[in-house]
Amino acid sequence: MQLIVPYGPGGGYDQWARLIAPYLQKYLDLKQVEVVNAPGGGGLVGTNEVYAAKPDGLTIGDTNAGGDVFDQMVGASGMTFDVTKMTWLARPDDDPHVIAVHPSGPYQSFADLEKAKQPVKALATGKGSSDYNAAVIAFNAFHIPFDMVAAFSGSSDEKAAFLRGDGDTTSLSASDIAQTGGKAKVVVLQSDQSFDKLPGVPTIVDLAQQAGLSANAIDGLKAMANIMDLGHAFIAPPGVPADRVQALDHAMSQSLQDPSFVAAAQKAHLYVGYLSGSQLTNMVQEAMNNTNLLKPLLDDQK
């Protein structure tokens, strides 16, 4: 089996793929599961490759799920897939995306960002990635001036740049932040649900309601949060036979419950949280139904 990662080595997608690969090999009784990095286009290159693969269940991907959905909403250049036709397998993680700042920087809260007079220099992985689009949506909803910096092959490069002192904010997953040793301060969850590992951090929806944003803006942020909940979802091409889809989903579920997998995930500061392929399929369809709400907030040239 080939397990395609749409970003370079060392980031969250790569971590999840390499952690789960030997367990998929075990529970699917395969000779080998090879992890292949295919970075480019904010995740587009890797997803295109999975989508075009032979639908035999032997090419899957740890996809840029949220970014793929956002790309389809705006008709991104270079996209050759349809998120409503791809085979959604399972999500391994419960790992919300966040916006974080430097602990000693000029912005110490999301309220500080709201008061910004000059464009906030916002780091994210490649243009089109889920963390890139989530940041754009949040900044637009709150009318925060921003410049996106997204010349990174994956979250590990983005994180390294932020820790060097680059940028005002970084858009990463909670597990990425947990690996910074307190050198990044989370100011908002890109979610509509609180997160027990980040107690006291407000959700973007809570802040929008407190700020009295319009109903459309709040609904748009709720729709964004639903898309970000796709996390590090795994996909296969359209047309994979039902029995193989069932076998893949079952192997994912078994892997995530394997005690040695759970221990390894905890050691790596990764947060396990399974969702089935059918749940992901429904979330994606709901997301595409909200395209008109989100398209105005996805403009990164404001």
Side-chain angles (χ1 to χ4, degrees):
M1 173 182 280
Q2 272 201 337
L3 203 177
I4 294 172
V5 177
Y7 295 104
Y13 292 88
D14 190 63
Q15 276 188 298
W16 276 108
R18 293 185 188 279
L19 183 64
I20 205 167
Y23 296 92
L24 292 179
Q25 181 175 331
K26 171 185 174 181
Y27 289 112
L28 289 168
D29 194 23
L30 297 169
K31 290 182 178 179
Q32 182 184 11
V33 176
E34 178 188 12
V35 177
V36 179
N37 296 93
L44 276 180
V45 171
T47 301
N48 284 341
E49 190 170 331
V50 177
Y51 194 80
K54 184 179 179 180
D56 56 7
L58 293 176
T59 300
I60 66 173
D62 181 9
T63 185
N64 169 37
D68 294 339
V69 172
F70 291 130
D71 280 338
Q72 187 157 329
M73 286 180 172
V74 300
S77 176
M79 182 190 72
T80 60
F81 56 81
D82 183 339
V83 295
T84 65
K85 294 179 180 178
M86 64 177 57
T87 302
W88 293 89
L89 297 175
R91 187 197 75 179
D93 62 310
D94 176 17
D95 192 4
H97 272 70
V98 304
I99 293 176
V101 299
H102 294 286
S104 57
Y107 306 106
Q108 290 298 297
S109 65
F110 195 80
D112 288 344
L113 294 171
E114 291 181 72
K115 298 170 188 172
K117 302 300 182 186
Q118 300 299 318
V120 172
K121 186 178 179 183
L123 305 190
T125 47
K127 178 179 170 67
S129 63
S130 55
D131 61 304
Y132 180 100
N133 283 304
V136 168
I137 289 168
F139 291 140
N140 279 333
F142 284 85
H143 304 289
I144 297 169
F146 65 92
D147 287 327
M148 297 301 298
V149 179
F152 308 107
S153 65
S155 61
S156 60
D157 288 347
E158 177 195 343
K159 185 166 50 181
F162 182 77
L163 294 178
R164 287 195 303 267
D166 294 351
D168 297 312
T169 70
T170 186
S171 182
L172 290 166
S173 67
S175 62
D176 281 314
I177 296 298
Q179 297 165 23
T180 66
K183 296 179 181 178
K185 179 182 179 182
V186 178
V187 294
V188 68
L189 294 164
Q190 296 280 54
S191 175
D192 61 357
Q193 300 290 326
S194 59
F195 189 55
D196 60 357
K197 295 175 179 64
L198 289 170
V201 176
T203 72
I204 194 71
V205 174
D206 285 342
L207 292 181
Q209 291 169 336
Q210 292 166 16
L213 298 192
S214 70
N216 271 358
I218 292 172
D219 287 344
L221 290 168
K222 288 179 179 178
M224 178 268 282
N226 173 67
I227 293 169
M228 298 305 290
D229 282 345
L230 293 169
H232 295 84
F234 283 67
I235 61 165
V240 176
D243 60 337
R244 293 204 172 192
V245 174
Q246 185 177 11
L248 286 162
D249 192 6
H250 186 58
M252 288 284 294
S253 176
Q254 287 179 298
S255 298
L256 298 177
Q257 296 176 65
D258 189 297
S260 61
F261 175 90
V262 172
Q266 290 173 341
K267 185 177 180 180
H269 301 288
L270 298 176
Y271 307 135
V272 178
Y274 168 80
L275 282 182
S276 70
S278 60
Q279 289 173 295
L280 297 176
T281 300
N282 290 337
M283 290 166 68
V284 168
Q285 188 57 62
E286 180 183 349
M288 295 309 300
N289 292 342
N290 286 318
T291 296
N292 289 339
L293 271 177
L294 285 168
K295 278 189 77 171
L297 296 173
L298 282 163
D299 184 356
D300 59 3
Q301 302 300 315
K302 291 184 178 181

